[in-house]
Amino acid sequence: MKMLNLFIVSDSIGETGELVAKAAVSQFRPGLQHTKFKRFTHIDSLDHIKEITELAKEQGAIILYTLVQTKMRQALVEYCNLYNLESVDLIGPVINLFEKELNEKPFEEPGLVRKLDEDYFKKIEAIEFAVKYDDGRDPRGLLQADIILIGVSRTSKTPLSQYLANKRFKVANVPLVPEVEPPEQLFQVDPAKCVGLVITPEKLNSIRKERLKAIGLNDDASYAKIERINEEILHFEKIAKKIGCKVIDVTNRAVEETANLVINHIQQK
């Protein structure tokens, strides 16, 4: 069986080119036997192109390439013609078609799709992190978080955590209750990463009453009483002062507005 020698040339990591090459080879050799794949990645100079084509000439290789810059593709074609090499442009024809269809010039910036993928997975990771470390579920997450939110119940810690997660921040939040000691990890983190959320007793009283009604309970429970709320807020202020963290009043703020304040604080620090 004849040996197939393939050079995958890319201005990024060459993953796309290799996947296409393997998909095609598998139609002839399902186990990819008697086939050599060699990736040449992050190719960004004409000298690289010349060296690769010279090596391909020596080894009798076929070149498959994903180069987004026109000058690089043209140089590769010229050298392949010079050395009588077989080559396949895997992305150029598509870029040319889209340029004609959209009447726009391509960015010709290598690795853009990789950046999009990385951004997407970072977002998913942050969302999963926010769910895992929501409501003080596992205090170990505090040491790994980009942002830590603290506050009494019903100060929008969870929706704010999810909103920030969609902005690629890993967020953990901790509810503060007078009867429960805060986790020790809360006092080990950088105070600049911690943000306290506070709300006026009157507003919190209204929110908690509505919450109790929504779950079918009487709205005069201790949870919604002003005396209890004041006690919780005093406890919150004591903990926030001990940590030395920034405190944001969320009384009349939408989640988006609070999130912007949190992000600005984190970026400044």
Side-chain angles (χ1 to χ4, degrees):
M1 185 178 285
K2 182 179 178 181
M3 177 62 69
L4 190 59
N5 193 9
L6 302 177
F7 281 12
I8 315 299
V9 180
S10 174
D11 44 26
S12 185
I13 63 171
E15 187 177 46
T16 301
E18 186 165 335
L19 285 173
V20 172
K22 286 181 175 178
V25 171
S26 67
Q27 295 300 310
F28 301 89
R29 299 169 183 179
L32 305 181
Q33 65 271 28
H34 298 284
T35 307
K36 291 182 181 178
F37 298 90
K38 183 173 179 59
R39 279 199 217 182
F40 296 86
T41 62
H42 300 100
I43 302 305
D44 59 2
S45 77
L46 300 181
D47 287 340
H48 288 160
I49 296 294
K50 184 174 186 296
E51 291 167 5
I52 291 166
T53 51
E54 288 174 348
L55 186 61
K57 177 65 175 177
E58 291 175 14
Q59 299 185 9
I62 295 172
I63 297 177
L64 291 85
Y65 56 101
T66 53
L67 300 168
V68 298
Q69 293 185 341
T70 303
K71 68 174 183 178
M72 299 294 282
R73 294 199 302 272
Q74 290 174 343
L76 185 55
V77 169
E78 289 173 6
Y79 279 115
C80 284
N81 289 336
L82 178 64
Y83 296 128
N84 197 28
L85 295 172
E86 294 289 349
S87 65
V88 180
D89 184 352
L90 298 175
I91 196 170
V94 181
I95 290 176
N96 293 338
L97 174 62
F98 290 173
E99 180 179 358
K100 180 181 177 181
E101 183 70 21
L102 299 172
N103 195 28
E104 296 175 16
K105 289 293 182 182
F107 295 114
E108 296 198 350
E109 182 181 338
L112 283 180
V113 71
R114 183 89 181 157
K115 291 177 184 176
L116 288 172
D117 288 343
E118 288 174 354
D119 187 60
Y120 171 77
F121 286 115
K122 187 176 181 181
K123 177 179 176 180
I124 296 301
E125 184 182 5
I127 292 172
E128 290 175 346
F129 186 94
V131 171
K132 184 175 182 180
Y133 298 110
D134 182 44
D135 209 29
R137 220 170 271 164
D138 185 349
R140 292 174 298 181
L142 299 177
L143 302 176
Q144 306 167 38
D146 299 320
I147 300 171
I148 299 157
L149 304 176
I150 63 171
V152 302
S153 174
R154 313 311 295 176
T155 48
S156 299
K157 295 184 299 300
T158 295
L160 182 56
S161 294
Q162 287 295 327
Y163 187 92
L164 290 167
N166 274 277
K167 300 292 185 181
R168 287 75 173 162
F169 291 99
K170 291 182 179 178
V171 186
N173 72 75
V174 179
L176 298 180
V177 184
E179 294 79 15
V180 180
E181 281 296 315
E184 60 182 27
Q185 290 90 340
L186 190 57
F187 304 102
Q188 297 171 2
V189 300
D190 181 355
K193 295 168 62 174
C194 187
V195 176
L197 306 177
V198 72
I199 190 171
T200 62
E202 295 74 21
K203 182 69 173 179
L204 188 53
N205 171 254
S206 175
I207 292 172
R208 287 189 175 183
K209 280 185 175 181
E210 290 302 317
R211 174 59 179 164
L212 289 170
K213 288 178 183 177
I215 59 177
L217 297 177
N218 196 318
D219 67 2
D220 67 353
S222 172
Y223 174 72
K225 288 184 176 178
I226 287 288
E227 295 80 7
R228 171 62 184 184
I229 289 171
N230 283 329
E231 181 186 358
E232 290 185 29
I233 291 176
L234 283 173
H235 176 67
F236 160 80
E237 290 173 344
K238 177 183 173 183
I239 299 301
K241 185 176 180 181
K242 184 176 179 180
I243 296 169
C245 66
K246 179 179 178 62
V247 174
I248 296 175
D249 188 336
V250 300
T251 302
N252 294 308
R253 286 195 168 102
V255 168
E256 295 87 346
E257 186 182 355
T258 304
N260 288 335
L261 292 173
V262 172
I263 292 170
N264 288 338
H265 166 70
I266 294 297
Q267 290 178 340
Q268 286 172 6
K269 295 297 180 180

